[in-house]
């Protein structure tokens, strides 16, 4: 397919968000069904390998050291603990294991330790993803050499709203890290957070920026703000659930080949809201009872919801021991992206 665009304007994206709800969902679902198995969802598990003590001031984050949220700073988890948790995630049905560390950026001495975790999880036949903060080009190369499949680094929000949420890191810093990741050939996992007090126009700005990257992120996590007492955004007016579904639908339309993930905030979503999101084009979730430091629906509840909706989890393609074996859809996306480049 050759319909991937990187030239969406803010006005075009906003016009999509403004469509009548039924019309928007019909269009998004048609795009989704043309590109994806409409009844398959990619399942990931996220483990915090280093919790708390972050020096940044992200207004939504309970791991920031400057906020009193009850999250204590901890050391990097031992390798053996990470391997055991990955095995548990795989047994529960996850095909991708994501590792998150509350760093502004990793120190060079930390990279070999994380690289050992990546190699160990890959050896289990799972895809690997990491979110460690800003990366230098050399650090990106080291993680890629260890076999890291995806690197997560969210843009969070529109460029003009970013300064209202974060002041210790520039928007360009995020774009630079994504460029380092793309340069060494790793896939990117990049999305944002909605419900932080931004306007619909600013939500359009986030989606437009993501869709204008040189390569669309292979995974696009859409987080709904989890309000944690002690953070500056606690008490923010709740986002209308239909507005969240609209955001999912437009992400699907402007980034048709990407995996659109329901991420943070899913514990507060009803089954009906999640079902609407799946229809609108979401086809990835985080699985497990905890998402870094906040709650997430438990595995049994997700399995029951999947059964009620007739949804199945995507599987790893090929021999799990083969380094080339990856989630079935990831291979499809890679092939289509190559076709677009050569068209």
């Amino acid at each position: 397919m050759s319909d991937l665009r990187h030239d969406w304007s803010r006005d075009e994206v906003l016009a999509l968000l403004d469509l009548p709800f039924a019309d928007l969902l019909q269009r998004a679902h048609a795009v989704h069904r043309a590109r994806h198995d409409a009844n398959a969802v990619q399942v990931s598990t996220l483990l915090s390998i280093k919790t708390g003590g972050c020096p940044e001031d992200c207004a939504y984050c309970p791991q920031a050291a400057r906020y009193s949220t009850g999250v204590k700073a901890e050391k990097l988890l031992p390798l053996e603990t990470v391997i055991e948790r990955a095995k548990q995630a795989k047994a529960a049905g996850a095909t991708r294991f994501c590792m998150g560390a509350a760093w502004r950026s990793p120190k060079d001495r930390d990279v070999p330790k994380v690289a050992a975790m990546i190699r160990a999880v890959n050896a289990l036949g799972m895809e690997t993803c990491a979110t460690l903060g800003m990366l230098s080009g050399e650090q990106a190369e080291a993680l890629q050499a260890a076999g890291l499949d995806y690197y997560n680094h969210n843009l969070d929000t529109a460029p003009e709203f970013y300064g209202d949420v974060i002041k210790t890191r520039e928007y360009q810093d995020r774009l630079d890290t994504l460029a380092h990741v793309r340069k060494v050939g790793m896939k990117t996992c990049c999305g944002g957070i909605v419900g932080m007090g931004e306007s619909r126009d600013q939500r359009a700005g986030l989606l437009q920026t993501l869709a204008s990257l040189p390569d669309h992120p292979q995974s696009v996590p859409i987080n709904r703000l989890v309000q944690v007492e002690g953070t500056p955004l606690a008490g923010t007016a709740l986002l209308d659930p239909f507005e969240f579904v609209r955001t999912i639908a437009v992400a699907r339309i402007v980034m048709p080949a990407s995996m659109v993930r329901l991420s943070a905030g899913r514990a507060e979503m009803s089954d009906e809201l999640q079902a609407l999101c799946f229809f609108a084009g979401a086809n990835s979730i985080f699985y497990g009872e905890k998402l870094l430091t906040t709650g997430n629906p438990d595995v049994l509840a997700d399995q029951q919801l999947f059964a009620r909706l007739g949804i199945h989890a995507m599987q790893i393609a090929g021999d799990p021991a083969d380094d080339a074996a990856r989630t079935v859809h990831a291979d499809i996306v890679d092939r289509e992206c190559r076709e677009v480049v050569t068209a």
Side-chain angles (χ1 to χ4, degrees), residues 17-302:
L17 283 169
D18 288 341
L19 284 173
F21 190 71
D23 294 349
L24 174 58
L25 260 62
Q26 181 183 39
R27 179 167 173 180
H29 185 73
V31 171
H32 182 56
R33 188 169 286 273
R35 286 272 188 173
H36 307 268
D37 180 344
N39 297 308
V41 173
Q42 189 271 325
V43 175
S44 301
T45 292
L46 176 60
L47 174 67
S48 179
I49 60 173
K50 193 278 174 190
T51 302
C54 183
E56 303 228 51
D57 69 348
C58 306
Y60 52 81
C61 186
Q63 302 204 66
R66 66 191 69 206
Y67 307 138
S68 298
T69 62
V71 176
K72 297 180 180 179
E74 299 176 359
K75 295 181 179 180
L76 190 68
L77 289 178
L79 176 60
E80 295 75 16
T81 301
V82 175
I83 294 172
E84 182 58 32
R85 294 293 293 274
K87 288 179 178 177
Q88 293 171 4
K90 183 177 181 180
T95 57
R96 185 180 303 169
F97 193 72
C98 305
M99 294 164 277
W103 289 320
R104 173 176 168 81
S105 58
K107 295 180 173 61
D108 288 341
R109 68 171 181 267
D110 296 318
V111 174
K113 299 175 185 177
V114 177
M117 297 175 185
I118 292 165
R119 287 190 291 268
V121 175
N122 275 337
L124 297 175
M126 301 181 78
E127 292 178 317
T128 51
C129 179
T131 178
L132 314 171
M134 295 181 291
L135 292 182
S136 67
E138 293 76 13
Q139 290 172 333
E141 287 180 0
L143 294 174
Q144 189 277 335
L148 187 64
D149 296 301
Y150 291 81
Y151 194 77
N152 166 258
H153 203 61
N154 291 333
L155 294 181
D156 285 351
T157 190
E160 72 274 16
F161 189 63
Y162 183 83
D164 291 355
V165 180
I166 301 166
K167 294 181 172 61
T168 52
R169 185 191 309 189
E170 298 296 325
Y171 209 75
Q172 187 59 48
D173 293 329
R174 294 183 180 270
L175 295 173
D176 289 346
T177 289
L178 292 170
H180 294 323
V181 170
R182 287 193 302 270
K183 184 176 180 180
V184 299
M186 284 190 290
K187 300 179 179 72
T188 56
C189 174
C190 182
I193 306 170
V194 296
M196 297 192 292
E198 76 284 349
S199 65
R200 178 180 282 187
D201 181 78
Q202 289 164 336
R203 280 189 287 281
L206 167 65
L207 294 171
Q208 187 265 338
T209 304
L210 290 167
S212 299
L213 292 171
D215 295 310
H216 291 168
Q218 285 81 7
S219 289
V220 181
I222 304 296
N223 300 274
R224 190 169 74 161
L225 176 66
V226 177
Q227 299 191 25
V228 178
E229 197 65 36
T231 61
L233 289 179
T236 302
L238 297 177
L239 183 70
D240 181 349
F242 293 128
E243 190 69 16
F244 184 78
V245 179
R246 287 179 180 275
T247 305
I248 294 291
V250 176
R252 169 52 63 219
I253 292 169
V254 300
M255 292 172 282
S258 301
M259 308 297 287
V260 177
R261 178 178 299 134
L262 296 183
S263 295
R266 203 161 61 84
E268 290 75 39
M269 296 181 196
S270 67
D271 289 351
E272 294 82 1
L273 176 55
Q274 291 186 66
L276 275 175
C277 289
F278 292 136
F279 184 83
N283 60 345
S284 179
I285 64 167
F286 275 123
Y287 207 40
E289 82 285 355
K290 196 171 184 181
L291 196 58
L292 290 180
T293 59
T294 59
N296 202 41
D298 64 31
V299 169
L300 179 59
D302 284 331

Side-chain angles (χ1 to χ4, degrees), residues 268-341:
E268 290 75 39
M269 296 181 196
S270 67
D271 289 351
E272 294 82 1
L273 176 55
Q274 291 186 66
L276 275 175
C277 289
F278 292 136
F279 184 83
N283 60 345
S284 179
I285 64 167
F286 275 123
Y287 207 40
E289 82 285 355
K290 196 171 184 181
L291 196 58
L292 290 180
T293 59
T294 59
N296 202 41
D298 64 31
V299 169
L300 179 59
D302 284 331
Q303 290 173 342
Q304 291 174 338
L305 179 59
F306 277 25
R308 290 164 65 200
L309 298 177
I311 286 174
H312 61 272
M314 292 183 185
Q315 301 299 313
I316 291 286
D319 180 359
D322 182 356
D323 287 341
R326 292 294 179 260
T327 297
V328 172
H329 185 82
D331 291 336
I332 297 171
V333 172
D334 289 347
R335 183 173 67 249
E336 288 177 344
C337 288
R338 285 196 297 271
E339 290 171 355
V340 170
V341 169

